[in-house]
Amino acid sequence: MNISSASQQSGLPLKTIRYYEDISLVRPARAANGYRDYSHADVHLLKFVQRARSLGFSIDECRLLLSLYQDENRASAEVKALALAKIEEIDSKIADLKSLRATLSTLAAHCHGDNRPDCPIIDDLAGRS
Amino acid sequence: MNISSASQQSGLPLKTIRYYEDISLVRPARAANGYRDYSHADVHLLKFVQRARSLGFSIDECRLLLSLYQDENRASAEVKALALAKIEEIDSKIADLKSLRATLSTLAAHCHGDNRPDCPIIDDLAGRS
DNA sequence: GCTTGACCTTCCAGTGACGGGAAGGTTTAA
DNA sequence: TTAAACCTTCCCGTCACTGGAAGGTCAAGC
């Protein structure tokens, strides 16, 4: 099928699908006229990547997941390790964001937020504690 | 002072400081030999930006914060609004990450993680639910 | 057969916020 | 005097795309 059908079925933008071919992530056949020709299996792979990306896996991680997906003899432990590492990454990001939030929240709470120029947020940024 | 002193005092890498000049965020004077010459006030602005960046403000937001910082007649309400908007952004990111984490966690929990090829994580990515 | 418009192709440039490294000028200490 | 430690500009690379231009192909309607 043409790229636009593949796009509809996978939920990925045209540009993204072309990009995935560029970086040899999902490579379709070519029709006689030079058009990309996606098989159902290709679309399946595109969907696979779409899901993995939406779960926060990087392109390189997707590449690994795809190879594991296509490896009949893979050990599920390898995939699980990848998922657990991702969870740790996510936890770390969440912790960072929470700490950020707390700081900003404290600053905002001390700012009266009116027409006067005094502002504890600015003061803090300026290093006046 | 030279750029390396400014770097030490602000905690920002040389490259970052030069980049901030490129994008007209913090522009130092130039010495006769062409070297950048940072005043104490410049270093103060660099530190200000460093703090704001570490709080998750984008460069453009830093630009706005800097102009507010340097505006004697600013209303603190404007700064507070920026901080509150940032908090909302952070909340939204945290929510996204938590949802991601829950999904991955469920998947990982159902994966036995041994040498067998059966893997519910891969199955889910492949759309076999 | 012709035109129109919807496809498709490749290629080039830009995003944000820098980082790496090359090529070359300046200063300072031994 | 020479070496090394600075400094400069410039260009490319990052990540995962996105936008747009220039041009080829195809299907439908007249």
PDB file of all heavy atoms in Angstrom, chain C residues 6-17:
ATOM      1  P    DA C   6      -7.143  18.558  -4.245  1.00  0.00           P
ATOM      2  OP1  DA C   6      -8.408  18.954  -3.579  1.00  0.00           O
ATOM      3  OP2  DA C   6      -5.947  19.414  -4.138  1.00  0.00           O
ATOM      4  O5'  DA C   6      -6.785  17.086  -3.773  1.00  0.00           O
ATOM      5  C5'  DA C   6      -7.474  15.972  -4.353  1.00  0.00           C
ATOM      6  C4'  DA C   6      -6.520  14.805  -4.501  1.00  0.00           C
ATOM      7  O4'  DA C   6      -5.632  15.039  -5.617  1.00  0.00           O
ATOM      8  C3'  DA C   6      -5.609  14.586  -3.279  1.00  0.00           C
ATOM      9  O3'  DA C   6      -5.620  13.198  -2.948  1.00  0.00           O
ATOM     10  C2'  DA C   6      -4.241  15.018  -3.761  1.00  0.00           C
ATOM     11  C1'  DA C   6      -4.324  14.671  -5.237  1.00  0.00           C
ATOM     12  N9   DA C   6      -3.375  15.392  -6.074  1.00  0.00           N
ATOM     13  C8   DA C   6      -3.137  16.736  -6.090  1.00  0.00           C
ATOM     14  N7   DA C   6      -2.221  17.101  -6.954  1.00  0.00           N
ATOM     15  C5   DA C   6      -1.823  15.919  -7.544  1.00  0.00           C
ATOM     16  C6   DA C   6      -0.877  15.622  -8.539  1.00  0.00           C
ATOM     17  N6   DA C   6      -0.128  16.547  -9.143  1.00  0.00           N
ATOM     18  N1   DA C   6      -0.730  14.329  -8.897  1.00  0.00           N
ATOM     19  C2   DA C   6      -1.473  13.395  -8.292  1.00  0.00           C
ATOM     20  N3   DA C   6      -2.404  13.552  -7.343  1.00  0.00           N
ATOM     21  C4   DA C   6      -2.531  14.857  -7.013  1.00  0.00           C
ATOM     22  P    DC C   7      -5.344  12.690  -1.476  1.00  0.00           P
ATOM     23  OP1  DC C   7      -6.531  11.968  -1.024  1.00  0.00           O
ATOM     24  OP2  DC C   7      -4.820  13.844  -0.709  1.00  0.00           O
ATOM     25  O5'  DC C   7      -4.191  11.620  -1.686  1.00  0.00           O
ATOM     26  C5'  DC C   7      -2.862  12.037  -1.750  1.00  0.00           C
ATOM     27  C4'  DC C   7      -2.162  11.302  -2.857  1.00  0.00           C
ATOM     28  O4'  DC C   7      -2.020  12.207  -3.960  1.00  0.00           O
ATOM     29  C3'  DC C   7      -0.745  10.904  -2.480  1.00  0.00           C
ATOM     30  O3'  DC C   7      -0.726   9.576  -2.020  1.00  0.00           O
ATOM     31  C2'  DC C   7       0.028  11.029  -3.780  1.00  0.00           C
ATOM     32  C1'  DC C   7      -0.815  11.937  -4.649  1.00  0.00           C
ATOM     33  N1   DC C   7      -0.180  13.238  -4.986  1.00  0.00           N
ATOM     34  C2   DC C   7       0.818  13.280  -5.958  1.00  0.00           C
ATOM     35  O2   DC C   7       1.154  12.220  -6.494  1.00  0.00           O
ATOM     36  N3   DC C   7       1.398  14.459  -6.270  1.00  0.00           N
ATOM     37  C4   DC C   7       0.991  15.578  -5.657  1.00  0.00           C
ATOM     38  N4   DC C   7       1.567  16.719  -6.010  1.00  0.00           N
ATOM     39  C5   DC C   7      -0.035  15.561  -4.657  1.00  0.00           C
ATOM     40  C6   DC C   7      -0.583  14.382  -4.350  1.00  0.00           C
ATOM     41  P    DC C   8       0.392   9.187  -0.963  1.00  0.00           P
ATOM     42  OP1  DC C   8       0.208   7.767  -0.633  1.00  0.00           O
ATOM     43  OP2  DC C   8       0.375  10.216   0.085  1.00  0.00           O
ATOM     44  O5'  DC C   8       1.749   9.346  -1.791  1.00  0.00           O
ATOM     45  C5'  DC C   8       2.117   8.359  -2.747  1.00  0.00           C
ATOM     46  C4'  DC C   8       3.294   8.842  -3.578  1.00  0.00           C
ATOM     47  O4'  DC C   8       2.968  10.114  -4.163  1.00  0.00           O
ATOM     48  C3'  DC C   8       4.558   9.155  -2.776  1.00  0.00           C
ATOM     49  O3'  DC C   8       5.357   8.013  -2.598  1.00  0.00           O
ATOM     50  C2'  DC C   8       5.278  10.135  -3.700  1.00  0.00           C
ATOM     51  C1'  DC C   8       4.162  10.774  -4.495  1.00  0.00           C
ATOM     52  N1   DC C   8       4.000  12.228  -4.236  1.00  0.00           N
ATOM     53  C2   DC C   8       4.817  13.131  -4.913  1.00  0.00           C
ATOM     54  O2   DC C   8       5.653  12.674  -5.714  1.00  0.00           O
ATOM     55  N3   DC C   8       4.673  14.447  -4.692  1.00  0.00           N
ATOM     56  C4   DC C   8       3.758  14.879  -3.825  1.00  0.00           C
ATOM     57  N4   DC C   8       3.654  16.196  -3.647  1.00  0.00           N
ATOM     58  C5   DC C   8       2.911  13.981  -3.123  1.00  0.00           C
ATOM     59  C6   DC C   8       3.068  12.665  -3.347  1.00  0.00           C
ATOM     60  P    DT C   9       6.616   8.136  -1.612  1.00  0.00           P
ATOM     61  OP1  DT C   9       7.123   6.757  -1.414  1.00  0.00           O
ATOM     62  OP2  DT C   9       6.225   8.949  -0.452  1.00  0.00           O
ATOM     63  O5'  DT C   9       7.678   8.976  -2.453  1.00  0.00           O
ATOM     64  C5'  DT C   9       8.249   8.405  -3.645  1.00  0.00           C
ATOM     65  C4'  DT C   9       9.211   9.387  -4.283  1.00  0.00           C
ATOM     66  O4'  DT C   9       8.494  10.577  -4.681  1.00  0.00           O
ATOM     67  C3'  DT C   9      10.301   9.899  -3.371  1.00  0.00           C
ATOM     68  O3'  DT C   9      11.382   8.992  -3.327  1.00  0.00           O
ATOM     69  C2'  DT C   9      10.703  11.188  -4.078  1.00  0.00           C
ATOM     70  C1'  DT C   9       9.385  11.681  -4.677  1.00  0.00           C
ATOM     71  N1   DT C   9       8.727  12.796  -3.942  1.00  0.00           N
ATOM     72  C2   DT C   9       9.088  14.087  -4.235  1.00  0.00           C
ATOM     73  O2   DT C   9       9.941  14.368  -5.041  1.00  0.00           O
ATOM     74  N3   DT C   9       8.408  15.045  -3.529  1.00  0.00           N
ATOM     75  C4   DT C   9       7.424  14.846  -2.592  1.00  0.00           C
ATOM     76  O4   DT C   9       6.876  15.800  -2.036  1.00  0.00           O
ATOM     77  C5   DT C   9       7.104  13.466  -2.325  1.00  0.00           C
ATOM     78  C7   DT C   9       6.042  13.130  -1.322  1.00  0.00           C
ATOM     79  C6   DT C   9       7.765  12.506  -3.002  1.00  0.00           C
ATOM     80  P    DT C  10      12.442   9.137  -2.163  1.00  0.00           P
ATOM     81  OP1  DT C  10      13.336   7.963  -2.257  1.00  0.00           O
ATOM     82  OP2  DT C  10      11.723   9.436  -0.907  1.00  0.00           O
ATOM     83  O5'  DT C  10      13.248  10.448  -2.564  1.00  0.00           O
ATOM     84  C5'  DT C  10      13.987  10.489  -3.775  1.00  0.00           C
ATOM     85  C4'  DT C  10      14.572  11.875  -3.966  1.00  0.00           C
ATOM     86  O4'  DT C  10      13.509  12.852  -3.850  1.00  0.00           O
ATOM     87  C3'  DT C  10      15.617  12.243  -2.904  1.00  0.00           C
ATOM     88  O3'  DT C  10      16.809  12.675  -3.541  1.00  0.00           O
ATOM     89  C2'  DT C  10      14.984  13.360  -2.095  1.00  0.00           C
ATOM     90  C1'  DT C  10      13.918  13.921  -3.029  1.00  0.00           C
ATOM     91  N1   DT C  10      12.721  14.397  -2.289  1.00  0.00           N
ATOM     92  C2   DT C  10      12.379  15.721  -2.350  1.00  0.00           C
ATOM     93  O2   DT C  10      13.016  16.544  -2.980  1.00  0.00           O
ATOM     94  N3   DT C  10      11.261  16.052  -1.628  1.00  0.00           N
ATOM     95  C4   DT C  10      10.460  15.208  -0.878  1.00  0.00           C
ATOM     96  O4   DT C  10       9.479  15.623  -0.275  1.00  0.00           O
ATOM     97  C5   DT C  10      10.885  13.824  -0.861  1.00  0.00           C
ATOM     98  C7   DT C  10      10.106  12.818  -0.086  1.00  0.00           C
ATOM     99  C6   DT C  10      11.975  13.490  -1.554  1.00  0.00           C
ATOM    100  P    DC C  11      18.120  12.859  -2.632  1.00  0.00           P
ATOM    101  OP1  DC C  11      19.276  12.655  -3.531  1.00  0.00           O
ATOM    102  OP2  DC C  11      17.976  12.049  -1.404  1.00  0.00           O
ATOM    103  O5'  DC C  11      18.049  14.402  -2.239  1.00  0.00           O
ATOM    104  C5'  DC C  11      17.894  15.371  -3.284  1.00  0.00           C
ATOM    105  C4'  DC C  11      17.693  16.743  -2.662  1.00  0.00           C
ATOM    106  O4'  DC C  11      16.350  16.846  -2.144  1.00  0.00           O
ATOM    107  C3'  DC C  11      18.637  17.029  -1.483  1.00  0.00           C
ATOM    108  O3'  DC C  11      19.183  18.331  -1.629  1.00  0.00           O
ATOM    109  C2'  DC C  11      17.728  16.972  -0.277  1.00  0.00           C
ATOM    110  C1'  DC C  11      16.397  17.448  -0.878  1.00  0.00           C
ATOM    111  N1   DC C  11      15.217  17.008  -0.109  1.00  0.00           N
ATOM    112  C2   DC C  11      14.204  17.933   0.186  1.00  0.00           C
ATOM    113  O2   DC C  11      14.320  19.099  -0.214  1.00  0.00           O
ATOM    114  N3   DC C  11      13.124  17.534   0.897  1.00  0.00           N
ATOM    115  C4   DC C  11      13.038  16.267   1.306  1.00  0.00           C
ATOM    116  N4   DC C  11      11.954  15.918   1.994  1.00  0.00           N
ATOM    117  C5   DC C  11      14.048  15.313   1.006  1.00  0.00           C
ATOM    118  C6   DC C  11      15.114  15.721   0.311  1.00  0.00           C
ATOM    119  P    DC C  12      20.498  18.711  -0.796  1.00  0.00           P
ATOM    120  OP1  DC C  12      21.639  18.713  -1.729  1.00  0.00           O
ATOM    121  OP2  DC C  12      20.532  17.873   0.423  1.00  0.00           O
ATOM    122  O5'  DC C  12      20.194  20.208  -0.353  1.00  0.00           O
ATOM    123  C5'  DC C  12      19.050  20.903  -0.879  1.00  0.00           C
ATOM    124  C4'  DC C  12      18.481  21.814   0.186  1.00  0.00           C
ATOM    125  O4'  DC C  12      17.279  21.217   0.742  1.00  0.00           O
ATOM    126  C3'  DC C  12      19.415  22.066   1.366  1.00  0.00           C
ATOM    127  O3'  DC C  12      19.401  23.456   1.639  1.00  0.00           O
ATOM    128  C2'  DC C  12      18.814  21.247   2.482  1.00  0.00           C
ATOM    129  C1'  DC C  12      17.329  21.319   2.141  1.00  0.00           C
ATOM    130  N1   DC C  12      16.511  20.219   2.705  1.00  0.00           N
ATOM    131  C2   DC C  12      15.274  20.516   3.270  1.00  0.00           C
ATOM    132  O2   DC C  12      14.891  21.686   3.288  1.00  0.00           O
ATOM    133  N3   DC C  12      14.526  19.518   3.789  1.00  0.00           N
ATOM    134  C4   DC C  12      14.978  18.256   3.752  1.00  0.00           C
ATOM    135  N4   DC C  12      14.214  17.310   4.267  1.00  0.00           N
ATOM    136  C5   DC C  12      16.248  17.929   3.181  1.00  0.00           C
ATOM    137  C6   DC C  12      16.970  18.931   2.677  1.00  0.00           C
ATOM    138  P    DA C  13      20.389  24.070   2.753  1.00  0.00           P
ATOM    139  OP1  DA C  13      21.127  25.159   2.098  1.00  0.00           O
ATOM    140  OP2  DA C  13      21.119  22.960   3.417  1.00  0.00           O
ATOM    141  O5'  DA C  13      19.368  24.689   3.798  1.00  0.00           O
ATOM    142  C5'  DA C  13      18.083  25.132   3.379  1.00  0.00           C
ATOM    143  C4'  DA C  13      17.241  25.396   4.603  1.00  0.00           C
ATOM    144  O4'  DA C  13      16.449  24.230   4.909  1.00  0.00           O
ATOM    145  C3'  DA C  13      18.047  25.698   5.866  1.00  0.00           C
ATOM    146  O3'  DA C  13      17.367  26.706   6.597  1.00  0.00           O
ATOM    147  C2'  DA C  13      18.045  24.380   6.600  1.00  0.00           C
ATOM    148  C1'  DA C  13      16.650  23.870   6.254  1.00  0.00           C
ATOM    149  N9   DA C  13      16.510  22.432   6.376  1.00  0.00           N
ATOM    150  C8   DA C  13      17.399  21.459   5.989  1.00  0.00           C
ATOM    151  N7   DA C  13      16.983  20.248   6.241  1.00  0.00           N
ATOM    152  C5   DA C  13      15.744  20.437   6.837  1.00  0.00           C
ATOM    153  C6   DA C  13      14.787  19.544   7.338  1.00  0.00           C
ATOM    154  N6   DA C  13      14.942  18.221   7.311  1.00  0.00           N
ATOM    155  N1   DA C  13      13.651  20.069   7.869  1.00  0.00           N
ATOM    156  C2   DA C  13      13.511  21.397   7.891  1.00  0.00           C
ATOM    157  N3   DA C  13      14.335  22.338   7.439  1.00  0.00           N
ATOM    158  C4   DA C  13      15.441  21.778   6.919  1.00  0.00           C
ATOM    159  P    DG C  14      18.052  27.331   7.904  1.00  0.00           P
ATOM    160  OP1  DG C  14      18.121  28.789   7.725  1.00  0.00           O
ATOM    161  OP2  DG C  14      19.273  26.550   8.204  1.00  0.00           O
ATOM    162  O5'  DG C  14      16.976  27.015   9.015  1.00  0.00           O
ATOM    163  C5'  DG C  14      15.593  27.337   8.831  1.00  0.00           C
ATOM    164  C4'  DG C  14      14.824  26.707   9.963  1.00  0.00           C
ATOM    165  O4'  DG C  14      14.751  25.285   9.713  1.00  0.00           O
ATOM    166  C3'  DG C  14      15.500  26.873  11.318  1.00  0.00           C
ATOM    167  O3'  DG C  14      14.613  27.445  12.254  1.00  0.00           O
ATOM    168  C2'  DG C  14      15.914  25.470  11.729  1.00  0.00           C
ATOM    169  C1'  DG C  14      14.980  24.590  10.926  1.00  0.00           C
ATOM    170  N9   DG C  14      15.574  23.295  10.603  1.00  0.00           N
ATOM    171  C8   DG C  14      16.757  23.055   9.945  1.00  0.00           C
ATOM    172  N7   DG C  14      17.025  21.780   9.828  1.00  0.00           N
ATOM    173  C5   DG C  14      15.971  21.143  10.452  1.00  0.00           C
ATOM    174  C6   DG C  14      15.705  19.760  10.645  1.00  0.00           C
ATOM    175  O6   DG C  14      16.379  18.798  10.288  1.00  0.00           O
ATOM    176  N1   DG C  14      14.512  19.561  11.325  1.00  0.00           N
ATOM    177  C2   DG C  14      13.675  20.554  11.769  1.00  0.00           C
ATOM    178  N2   DG C  14      12.570  20.176  12.422  1.00  0.00           N
ATOM    179  N3   DG C  14      13.898  21.843  11.596  1.00  0.00           N
ATOM    180  C4   DG C  14      15.061  22.063  10.933  1.00  0.00           C
ATOM    181  P    DT C  15      15.215  28.002  13.657  1.00  0.00           P
ATOM    182  OP1  DT C  15      14.619  29.312  13.955  1.00  0.00           O
ATOM    183  OP2  DT C  15      16.678  27.796  13.670  1.00  0.00           O
ATOM    184  O5'  DT C  15      14.588  26.940  14.673  1.00  0.00           O
ATOM    185  C5'  DT C  15      13.187  26.711  14.706  1.00  0.00           C
ATOM    186  C4'  DT C  15      12.926  25.460  15.504  1.00  0.00           C
ATOM    187  O4'  DT C  15      13.484  24.341  14.800  1.00  0.00           O
ATOM    188  C3'  DT C  15      13.614  25.444  16.865  1.00  0.00           C
ATOM    189  O3'  DT C  15      12.669  25.826  17.855  1.00  0.00           O
ATOM    190  C2'  DT C  15      14.044  23.983  17.053  1.00  0.00           C
ATOM    191  C1'  DT C  15      13.688  23.309  15.737  1.00  0.00           C
ATOM    192  N1   DT C  15      14.706  22.400  15.160  1.00  0.00           N
ATOM    193  C2   DT C  15      14.526  21.056  15.293  1.00  0.00           C
ATOM    194  O2   DT C  15      13.573  20.565  15.887  1.00  0.00           O
ATOM    195  N3   DT C  15      15.503  20.273  14.721  1.00  0.00           N
ATOM    196  C4   DT C  15      16.620  20.709  14.042  1.00  0.00           C
ATOM    197  O4   DT C  15      17.413  19.906  13.573  1.00  0.00           O
ATOM    198  C5   DT C  15      16.748  22.142  13.932  1.00  0.00           C
ATOM    199  C7   DT C  15      17.912  22.717  13.213  1.00  0.00           C
ATOM    200  C6   DT C  15      15.796  22.920  14.484  1.00  0.00           C
ATOM    201  P    DG C  16      13.020  27.000  18.898  1.00  0.00           P
ATOM    202  OP1  DG C  16      11.891  27.924  18.929  1.00  0.00           O
ATOM    203  OP2  DG C  16      14.377  27.493  18.600  1.00  0.00           O
ATOM    204  O5'  DG C  16      13.037  26.222  20.270  1.00  0.00           O
ATOM    205  C5'  DG C  16      13.236  24.835  20.312  1.00  0.00           C
ATOM    206  C4'  DG C  16      13.866  24.449  21.622  1.00  0.00           C
ATOM    207  O4'  DG C  16      14.813  23.391  21.400  1.00  0.00           O
ATOM    208  C3'  DG C  16      14.714  25.510  22.314  1.00  0.00           C
ATOM    209  O3'  DG C  16      14.789  25.156  23.674  1.00  0.00           O
ATOM    210  C2'  DG C  16      16.035  25.390  21.593  1.00  0.00           C
ATOM    211  C1'  DG C  16      16.134  23.892  21.349  1.00  0.00           C
ATOM    212  N9   DG C  16      16.712  23.485  20.080  1.00  0.00           N
ATOM    213  C8   DG C  16      16.950  24.263  18.979  1.00  0.00           C
ATOM    214  N7   DG C  16      17.454  23.583  17.972  1.00  0.00           N
ATOM    215  C5   DG C  16      17.546  22.279  18.446  1.00  0.00           C
ATOM    216  C6   DG C  16      18.003  21.099  17.832  1.00  0.00           C
ATOM    217  O6   DG C  16      18.437  20.945  16.702  1.00  0.00           O
ATOM    218  N1   DG C  16      17.901  20.012  18.673  1.00  0.00           N
ATOM    219  C2   DG C  16      17.422  20.033  19.946  1.00  0.00           C
ATOM    220  N2   DG C  16      17.398  18.896  20.605  1.00  0.00           N
ATOM    221  N3   DG C  16      16.991  21.119  20.539  1.00  0.00           N
ATOM    222  C4   DG C  16      17.083  22.206  19.739  1.00  0.00           C
ATOM    223  P    DA C  17      15.185  26.220  24.776  1.00  0.00           P
ATOM    224  OP1  DA C  17      14.418  25.936  26.009  1.00  0.00           O
ATOM    225  OP2  DA C  17      15.148  27.586  24.204  1.00  0.00           O
ATOM    226  O5'  DA C  17      16.712  25.814  25.031  1.00  0.00           O
ATOM    227  C5'  DA C  17      16.978  24.560  25.637  1.00  0.00           C
ATOM    228  C4'  DA C  17      18.430  24.240  25.482  1.00  0.00           C
ATOM    229  O4'  DA C  17      18.712  23.869  24.117  1.00  0.00           O
ATOM    230  C3'  DA C  17      19.393  25.401  25.797  1.00  0.00           C
ATOM    231  O3'  DA C  17      20.443  24.903  26.605  1.00  0.00           O
ATOM    232  C2'  DA C  17      19.898  25.807  24.425  1.00  0.00           C
ATOM    233  C1'  DA C  17      19.955  24.436  23.788  1.00  0.00           C
ATOM    234  N9   DA C  17      20.132  24.403  22.337  1.00  0.00           N
ATOM    235  C8   DA C  17      19.953  25.409  21.440  1.00  0.00           C
ATOM    236  N7   DA C  17      20.227  25.073  20.191  1.00  0.00           N
ATOM    237  C5   DA C  17      20.604  23.737  20.276  1.00  0.00           C
ATOM    238  C6   DA C  17      21.015  22.800  19.324  1.00  0.00           C
ATOM    239  N6   DA C  17      21.122  23.063  18.032  1.00  0.00           N
ATOM    240  N1   DA C  17      21.316  21.558  19.759  1.00  0.00           N
ATOM    241  C2   DA C  17      21.221  21.289  21.064  1.00  0.00           C
ATOM    242  N3   DA C  17      20.849  22.094  22.060  1.00  0.00           N
ATOM    243  C4   DA C  17      20.550  23.309  21.596  1.00  0.00           C
TER     244       DA C  17
END
